[in-house]
Amino acid sequence: MQKHTIAFIGAGNVATHLAHALQNIGHTIVAVCTRTATSAQHLATSLGTGVAVVSQVQKLPPAELYIIAASDDAIEHIAHQLPICSTNSLVVHTSGSIPIEALSGVGQYYGVLYPLQTFSKERQLNMGNIPYFVEGNTPEVEQLLFTLARSLSPLVQQLCSEDRARLHLSAVFACNFTNHLYDLAAQIVESSGVPPEWLHPLIQETAAKIQRLSPHQAQTGPARRGDQKVIAKHLEMLSLSPQWQELYQTLSKSIYTSYHQ
Amino acid sequence: MQKHTIAFIGAGNVATHLAHALQNIGHTIVAVCTRTATSAQHLATSLGTGVAVVSQVQKLPPAELYIIAASDDAIEHIAHQLPICSTNSLVVHTSGSIPIEALSGVGQYYGVLYPLQTFSKERQLNMGNIPYFVEGNTPEVEQLLFTLARSLSPLVQQLCSEDRARLHLSAVFACNFTNHLYDLAAQIVESSGVPPEWLHPLIQETAAKIQRLSPHQAQTGPARRGDQKVIAKHLEMLSLSPQWQELYQTLSKSIYTSYHQ
């Protein structure tokens, strides 16, 4: 596979993991840019010598590939400040919810490289089993991004911006909302005097189970059974917290109608 | 540790896993009872020879320990049909939400042995890392159940019925509701033409992450950031499904107020 020179705009969780993964397979990270140079410096240092640190997008050195791994709101603005020197440079962002059009007018070639995963700097990740979704403004860009992603993971698919937005929405359910339920569960457990870590085996097994059964088949619990007695008791236990009560009711109703209609 | 003769009433997921685990550490399963003998027969056969199969509680052979692993609604009725021959027999149930009092009047000794896990017959489980919660009608029963559970797992705690009910409520959040979110996420992903299995790395990592960070620290996503633009777009994407829209809104509001108030 062709090796590229790559500049990163952003030094957050996605940038950090992606920069290391791309460097590991032979690409050259030439620069990292963030407004406050500290986090860029940190990422650059972890990548080794020869990585420039800049605090202004306009001062980025030339690169074949610019990867914008910044907050959704900043992507379009950043892209239009890039010093695209070579007509062959490719600009991509890594966001699930920003359409490819946000990059239109930024040089000749642009696209999207969206990794479907939750990243945190503290955790090592197996970058080789993450699904990547690519989109390009030309078939050639799409092919290049596809090949690049395939060198990181076997799970790569071309996806238009609309479908990617839907995928991102599903990740909000599977990751963000799920994590919030862990948070509430931990708070409830603590009120019983039980260490919240004791929920971990249950949480791990719930997540592991769906590798064998579909979540629809794996569903259990009072709402699935339509056990109104337990549901009423739980709602009563939550009476001091109307918001949790509402959550319980909405989720139970949704489960119930999934199986009883 | 003292070995016991044990009879199971129920042959579902909990009974199956618990019977095997207890047999593995040297206890003797003398009988399995279910109304339709087929599932009892199946469990008895998997346990080996010498396990009686009965379809009426009244016909159970004598045992030192009767474990009622049946549906919540049936526990009290089953318990009061047991042929308690020995004054030393101990009767327990395995339910999170049924108070110990459901067994009062059933012989001299009774209690609860509640494993906090989601069981399915298809999946092997490491029974050694499951938390068990015990309750007894006397200190001696409590001690016996504690010792029994400790021979299965290091995670054992005495818990009164009220706290156990709260723990069960938290398991509904951590397991049942979470699984339903997996189900919705899979349905949304499929509508994008992406295989639902491609969500697995995200789901696994979300569950794994909280072993290092508390879920409260691990929270990410538009609601955590208060990103109204993305939230509004997601709600619009869900406009064809008012129920999912309501879920999205309720969960987002709950996350938002957890961090912004």
Side-chain angles (χ1 to χ4, degrees):
Chain A
M1 193 204 55
Q2 217 189 324
K3 305 301 177 195
H4 304 284
T5 53
I6 303 175
F8 269 88
I9 302 93
N13 298 333
V14 175
T16 299
H17 284 279
L18 206 51
H20 280 277
L22 289 167
Q23 189 185 56
N24 284 345
I25 58 168
H27 300 285
T28 305
I29 314 301
V30 294
V32 179
C33 171
T34 57
R35 251 184 306 184
T36 54
T38 331
S39 55
Q41 185 62 61
H42 194 259
L43 174 52
T45 306
S46 73
L47 290 164
T49 51
V51 182
V53 172
V54 301
S55 61
Q56 285 179 289
V57 177
Q58 298 89 334
K59 295 191 176 156
L60 275 169
E64 287 156 12
L65 176 59
Y66 294 90
I67 299 182
I68 306 174
S71 71
D72 285 358
D73 284 343
I75 290 172
E76 190 163 355
H77 181 67
I78 288 171
H80 287 84
Q81 290 181 297
L82 280 171
I84 309 293
C85 310
S86 156
T87 51
N88 283 323
S89 285
L90 168 59
V91 180
V92 305
H93 74 66
T94 60
S95 165
S97 55
I98 297 295
I100 188 173
E101 287 78 37
L103 304 179
S104 79
V106 177
Q108 209 172 336
Y109 303 114
Y110 53 91
V112 180
L113 175 67
Y114 172 54
L116 181 66
Q117 187 50 288
T118 173
F119 296 94
S120 46
K121 286 183 200 164
E122 302 81 6
R123 281 186 56 83
Q124 284 286 340
L125 273 177
N126 175 4
M127 297 293 284
N129 78 352
I130 292 173
Y132 291 86
F133 298 90
V134 299
E135 186 178 12
N137 73 317
T138 71
E140 293 73 27
V141 169
E142 216 141 82
Q143 187 53 54
L144 186 150
L145 289 174
F146 195 92
T147 308
L148 184 77
R150 274 302 291 269
S151 65
L152 290 171
S153 162
L155 307 178
V156 182
Q157 192 171 313
Q158 192 281 328
L159 210 63
C160 70
S161 290
E162 199 187 329
D163 282 339
R164 190 175 64 254
R166 236 194 317 270
L167 190 65
H168 179 246
L169 170 61
S170 97
V172 170
F173 278 88
C175 170
N176 304 152
F177 288 168
T178 291
N179 182 77
H180 184 56
L181 296 181
Y182 298 160
D183 189 7
L184 301 188
Q187 290 180 52
I188 298 171
V189 159
E190 272 190 302
S191 73
S192 302
V194 173
E197 309 84 67
W198 285 30
L199 279 171
H200 290 181
L202 175 65
I203 286 171
Q204 304 307 321
E205 175 62 14
T206 304
K209 212 169 178 174
I210 59 156
Q211 310 222 356
R212 292 280 297 275
L213 297 168
S214 78
H216 198 76
Q217 295 171 302
Q219 189 67 52
T220 55
R224 162 81 196 253
R225 296 192 302 273
D227 187 337
Q228 296 304 332
K229 223 157 79 184
V230 170
I231 291 174
K233 195 177 145 193
H234 283 169
L235 287 172
E236 198 195 309
M237 290 164 71
L238 293 169
S239 59
L240 287 179
S241 170
Q243 191 159 305
W244 294 18
Q245 218 178 25
E246 188 189 352
L247 256 184
Y248 187 98
Q249 210 147 20
T250 313
L251 282 158
S252 292
K253 192 176 71 182
S254 179
I255 293 172
Y256 186 82
T257 56
S258 292
Y259 293 91
H260 297 266
Q261 268 184 355
Chain B
M1 193 202 55
Q2 215 189 327
K3 305 301 177 195
H4 303 285
T5 53
I6 304 175
F8 269 88
I9 301 94
N13 298 332
V14 175
T16 300
H17 283 279
L18 205 50
H20 281 278
L22 289 167
Q23 190 185 56
N24 285 344
I25 58 169
H27 300 286
T28 306
I29 315 300
V30 293
V32 180
C33 171
T34 58
R35 251 184 307 182
T36 56
T38 332
S39 55
Q41 184 63 61
H42 193 261
L43 174 53
T45 306
S46 74
L47 289 165
T49 51
V51 182
V53 173
V54 301
S55 60
Q56 285 179 289
V57 177
Q58 297 90 338
K59 296 189 176 158
L60 275 168
E64 288 157 11
L65 176 59
Y66 294 90
I67 299 182
I68 306 173
S71 69
D72 285 358
D73 284 342
I75 290 171
E76 189 163 355
H77 181 68
I78 288 171
H80 287 85
Q81 291 181 299
L82 280 171
I84 309 293
C85 310
S86 156
T87 50
N88 284 322
S89 285
L90 168 59
V91 179
V92 306
H93 74 66
T94 59
S95 164
S97 55
I98 298 294
I100 189 173
E101 287 79 36
L103 304 179
S104 79
V106 177
Q108 208 173 337
Y109 302 113
Y110 53 91
V112 181
L113 175 66
Y114 172 53
L116 180 67
Q117 185 51 288
T118 171
F119 296 95
S120 48
K121 285 183 198 164
E122 303 82 7
R123 282 185 57 82
Q124 285 284 342
L125 273 177
N126 175 4
M127 297 293 283
N129 77 352
I130 293 174
Y132 291 86
F133 298 90
V134 300
E135 186 178 11
N137 74 316
T138 71
E140 292 73 27
V141 169
E142 217 141 81
Q143 187 54 51
L144 185 150
L145 289 173
F146 194 93
T147 307
L148 184 76
R150 274 302 292 268
S151 65
L152 291 170
S153 161
L155 307 178
V156 181
Q157 192 172 313
Q158 192 282 329
L159 212 63
C160 70
S161 290
E162 198 187 330
D163 282 340
R164 190 176 63 254
R166 237 195 317 270
L167 191 65
H168 179 247
L169 170 61
S170 98
V172 169
F173 278 89
C175 170
N176 304 151
F177 289 167
T178 291
N179 182 78
H180 183 56
L181 296 181
Y182 297 161
D183 189 8
L184 301 186
Q187 291 180 51
I188 299 171
V189 158
E190 271 190 302
S191 73
S192 303
V194 173
E197 307 86 67
W198 287 29
L199 279 171
H200 289 182
L202 175 64
I203 286 171
Q204 305 308 321
E205 175 63 15
T206 304
K209 213 170 177 172
I210 58 154
Q211 309 220 356
R212 293 279 299 274
L213 298 168
S214 79
H216 198 77
Q217 294 170 303
Q219 189 65 52
T220 56
R224 162 81 198 251
R225 295 191 304 272
D227 187 337
Q228 297 302 333
K229 224 156 80 183
V230 170
I231 291 174
K233 195 176 145 194
H234 283 169
L235 287 173
E236 197 195 310
M237 290 166 72
L238 292 170
S239 60
L240 288 178
S241 170
Q243 191 157 308
W244 295 16
Q245 219 178 25
E246 188 188 351
L247 256 184
Y248 187 99
Q249 211 147 19
T250 313
L251 283 158
S252 292
K253 193 176 71 183
S254 180
I255 294 172
Y256 186 82
T257 55
S258 292
Y259 293 90
H260 297 267
Q261 269 185 352

